[in-house]
Amino acid sequence: MDLPRLIDTPRLHLRDMRPGDAEDVFASYGRDPAVLRYLQWAPHESADDSRRQIAYDIHRRLKRSAWVWGLTRQAPHAQAGRVFGQIELLPMSFPSEQAHHLRLGYLMAASHWGQGLMAEAGRAVLDAAFGVDQVWRVDALCDVANGASAAMLARIGMQREGCMRRALSHPNVSDQPRDAWVYALSRDEWLKRMPANPATTAARACADQSR
């Protein structure tokens, strides 16, 4: 499976994570307990922790065990090029080249909340995923107490399918596994919401790979 390394939206440029992003990651979200509340991460204590996380994300992309994009703003925004969040897709079966089911994950600096940026990124990543013919399902798990995340998943067209009991480990909330909502979008549903001429939709979302 070959997902794009670069994805552009009206306000965002999504790109692969790089070692030089460590300072931005640490400053914007890597150390923020509010951002990490519903994740498995412990807050980073230094940019070195963020650098190790980035190295892990790069390694996962190389192995194709995950595709991770850093969120940056488009020029001429004052913070263009600086990473303030990330979004990822994980294959839910292996080898990943044959996976038909992907899982969406995401986080974003609190300074950028409330602007619709994660929904914008999420829609573009869904389009990129379903632009691969073999992908038939993308889902996401959301802590039942995380209302903001649940609302975002609904806004990008994912449907709540049910509750998975004790499915998530969120050590920043509890030392016991947590219940999670399952949100999902199928290829059939994605095709129904496509414009009359869908052939170039994914291409518009995905930046030129040679850039």
Side-chain angles (χ1 to χ4, degrees):
M1 186 185 306
D2 190 18
L3 289 169
R5 189 171 57 87
L6 310 173
I7 302 176
D8 284 332
T9 75
R11 293 182 291 173
L12 299 174
H13 178 57
L14 281 61
R15 60 165 175 79
D16 51 320
M17 300 293 294
R18 300 164 189 173
D21 296 325
E23 295 289 345
D24 287 343
V25 169
F26 179 65
S28 63
Y29 60 89
R31 61 181 175 180
D32 189 342
V35 173
L36 304 177
R37 178 172 175 79
Y38 295 110
L39 294 175
Q40 293 182 327
W41 293 14
H44 293 175
E45 295 184 0
S46 71
D48 286 339
D49 290 337
S50 299
R51 195 167 290 109
R52 282 188 286 271
Q53 178 65 44
I54 291 170
Y56 172 64
D57 291 336
I58 293 172
H59 181 64
R60 289 195 296 159
R61 177 177 277 275
L62 292 173
K63 288 176 56 183
R64 298 192 175 186
S65 61
W67 292 269
V68 183
W69 294 268
L71 305 184
T72 71
R73 293 299 298 262
Q74 291 269 19
H77 192 276
Q79 294 183 326
R82 301 188 65 174
V83 173
F84 63 88
Q86 60 191 67
I87 189 166
E88 68 179 22
L89 289 170
L90 290 80
M92 298 307 292
S93 61
F94 294 92
S96 59
E97 289 80 4
Q98 299 175 15
H100 76 280
H101 173 194
L102 304 176
R103 179 154 293 161
L104 182 70
Y106 45 88
L107 76 163
M108 187 171 67
S111 58
H112 289 72
W113 291 355
Q115 302 175 47
L117 293 171
M118 187 56 76
E120 187 172 316
R123 292 187 190 99
V125 167
L126 287 174
D127 286 345
F130 288 116
V132 179
D133 289 343
Q134 74 191 58
V135 176
W136 284 88
R137 174 184 173 89
V138 179
D139 65 14
L141 301 184
C142 170
D143 192 293
V144 293
N146 192 350
S149 186
M152 190 281 294
L153 293 171
R155 280 198 301 276
I156 65 175
M158 302 183 80
Q159 303 294 315
R160 184 185 292 184
E161 294 185 334
C163 182
M164 291 179 65
R165 300 297 181 187
R166 302 293 189 177
L168 293 177
S169 174
H170 288 157
N172 300 314
V173 181
S174 171
D175 59 0
Q176 297 182 0
R178 306 266 300 168
D179 293 349
W181 298 121
V182 182
Y183 281 80
L185 183 69
S186 72
R187 184 175 196 84
D188 312 87
E189 294 161 340
W190 176 76
L191 287 170
K192 288 177 183 177
R193 72 183 196 186
M194 293 291 285
N197 181 18
T200 60
T201 301
R204 286 199 300 270
C206 303
D208 181 356
Q209 296 300 289
S210 65
R211 187 165 66 181

